[in-house]
Amino acid sequence: MSEAKVEYATDYKPLHDGSLNLARGHRIQYEQVQGCDVLLYPEGVVQLSESAAMILKQVDGQRTVIDIAAELNRMFPEDGDLTADVRGFLEVAHARGWIA
Amino acid sequence: MHEGGLPSSTSAIPLIKPPLWLLAELTYACPLQCAYCSNPVDYAGHGKTMDTETWLRVLRDARQMGALQLGLSGGEPLVRQDLEVLVTEATRLGYYSNLITSGIGMDAERARSLKAAGLDHIQVSFQSSEANQNDEIAGMRAYAHKVDMARAVKAAGFPMVLCFVLHRDNLHRLREMLDLAIDLEADYVELATTQYYGWALLNRDRLLPTLEQVREAETVANEYQARLRSKMDIYFVVPDYYENRPKPCMNGWGSVFLLVTPDGTALPCHAARQLPGFEFPNVQTSSIKEIWQTSDAFNRFRGNAWMKEPCASCPEKEKDYGGCRCQAFQFTGDAAATDPVCDKSPLRHLVDEAISSARTTTIEKPIIFRNPKNSDRHTVKLAELTK
């Protein structure tokens, strides 16, 4: 018996410049067994890499893409300008419906 | 379950090892009689439904093993008066809890109390977008109540999935269904084309849509998704008989999914209990850890060492895991055979014959509803049908 689903939500949803929030029904929690953060939502789970978790945890309903990139740049000054990476990841997260 | 990959700089690795999904079938009792129910046809003859304490232990043990997503299902889980107790414990343990319901047994107050208990999400099923057809398929007057309850679910602040089970008689209403979902402010819509196990297998000739119907439905689903974008996500469960590669069933046997039936039997999928030569463990006599890690039942089709040709040498075996073990058994009598949906299977013609058989079956053929009486009567008949 299968749960195989084809996701049609592949249309690109452009990322806006306003405040970002986790989408309704989404939450992040740390999992001891997996040793990482996971993103949970209705009937779904995604294991987050360290950097993905780091970025998503800044999504708080207040901050914008620019604020979040600035925060990451503050946190990791030795990594050069992370703005493009952060934006790229948030675009994917937005297109997947994880953030709104 | 949807697993995400991310761009290389922030890659997400798909989870594999722990039983991520615990599906708790809390009861087989259900006021509805849907002819495609995924419960086993012989459910009426199964053992006693487990009590609250035992379920609480199952929740704790599975969570300790790493289970994250909890499905509270049935039958109709709202039948259980201890549902709020189970949800409260699930919340304390850190599960993401999903209630999978027909809406019967819900009222606005119960929706609020489930919210207060920490329930994360509710999936409400519909049999059709049209009241009479809905009630005919459900075997009871349910439609008006379902609409009210979908509104109550949203009013209580839940994210809501609406699930429409699709088949030959209702596929032409897909636009209406999606319009209903928009009206009810669903966050996700699952268009679950019937899969042929249990009751649906018994009724396959009457339920299997034609290829033309399926293609038309896909067009409609795509059109709505493109239009709705960020408002509502639509998932379409493809009817695999019309595919030429099998579905990666359960993401692989014993890979992420653990189902516990009302009497405590632990299964790797909804339909596995029918497979011969298995002794499925029970949570009342074995720990979840033993069941998941060391039981013969959960290890039998893990990985790919069990595969025969054409799967064994197939470059796609890591992608689809040879398809569905139950479907292989139902068509060929051998659960280790290649799922005959695959056009590399020498037995693909069996699937095509099932399609032809359905095509020539008229609406005069009676549909067998899921209820205790038919459960007793058709248990034998199904055994014949599966080879």
Side-chain angles (χ1 to χ4, degrees), chain A residues 1-2 5-6 8-9 12 24-27 29 31 34 40-45 47 49 51 89 96 98, chain B residues 2 5 11-13 15 18 63 69 94-96 98 120-121 123 187-188 190 195 222 236 247 249-250:
Chain A
M1 181 98 191
S2 165
K5 293 173 186 178
V6 174
Y8 275 101
Y12 181 67
R24 183 212 293 267
H26 288 54
R27 71 165 194 258
Q29 72 185 36
E31 281 300 296
Q34 277 95 24
L40 296 166
Y41 51 95
E43 301 176 33
V45 51
Q47 186 172 359
S49 67
S51 49
F89 170 69
R96 286 175 185 266
W98 299 347
Chain B
H2 318 290
S11 70
I13 307 147
L15 297 171
R63 180 73 186 115
Q69 286 283 344
Y95 277 105
Y96 195 95
N98 307 272
D120 287 299
H121 150 244
Q123 180 190 118
D187 297 282
Y188 305 82
E190 186 174 318
Q195 303 200 54
N222 279 326
F236 193 90
K247 64 203 170 210
C249 199
M250 307 325 287

Side-chain angles (χ1 to χ4, degrees), chain B residues 202-250:
Chain B
L202 205 56
N203 287 300
R204 185 174 63 193
D205 277 342
R206 277 290 284 107
L207 296 175
L208 186 67
T210 63
L211 181 59
E212 295 78 9
Q213 279 184 297
V214 171
R215 293 292 172 250
E216 167 68 19
E218 279 178 319
T219 307
V220 172
N222 279 326
E223 179 201 313
Y224 271 74
Q225 186 60 81
R227 185 152 67 80
L228 294 166
R229 293 202 178 185
S230 54
K231 288 194 199 73
M232 189 172 89
D233 278 339
I234 301 174
Y235 303 105
F236 193 90
V237 180
V238 177
D240 63 348
Y241 284 28
Y242 291 110
E243 298 291 323
N244 54 17
R245 283 290 176 277
K247 64 203 170 210
C249 199
M250 307 325 287

Side-chain angles (χ1 to χ4, degrees), chain B residues 272-278 300 329 333 335:
Chain B
R273 203 167 182 159
Q274 67 178 313
L275 300 178
F278 273 89
R300 188 84 63 94
F329 168 71

Side-chain angles (χ1 to χ4, degrees), chain B residues 35-55:
Chain B
Y36 44 68
C37 182
S38 65
N39 289 162
V41 171
D42 62 358
Y43 77 92
H46 288 193
K48 195 166 163 277
T49 301
M50 295 196 296
D51 63 14
T52 313
E53 282 311 310
T54 313
W55 276 114

Side-chain angles (χ1 to χ4, degrees), chain B residues 296-318:
Chain B
D296 165 63
F298 277 79
N299 280 305
R300 188 84 63 94
F301 298 124
R302 259 197 186 127
N304 50 35
W306 55 272
M307 287 181 182
K308 301 177 176 179
E309 290 301 338
C311 287
S313 62
C314 181
E316 292 171 67
K317 67 180 172 189
E318 302 291 347

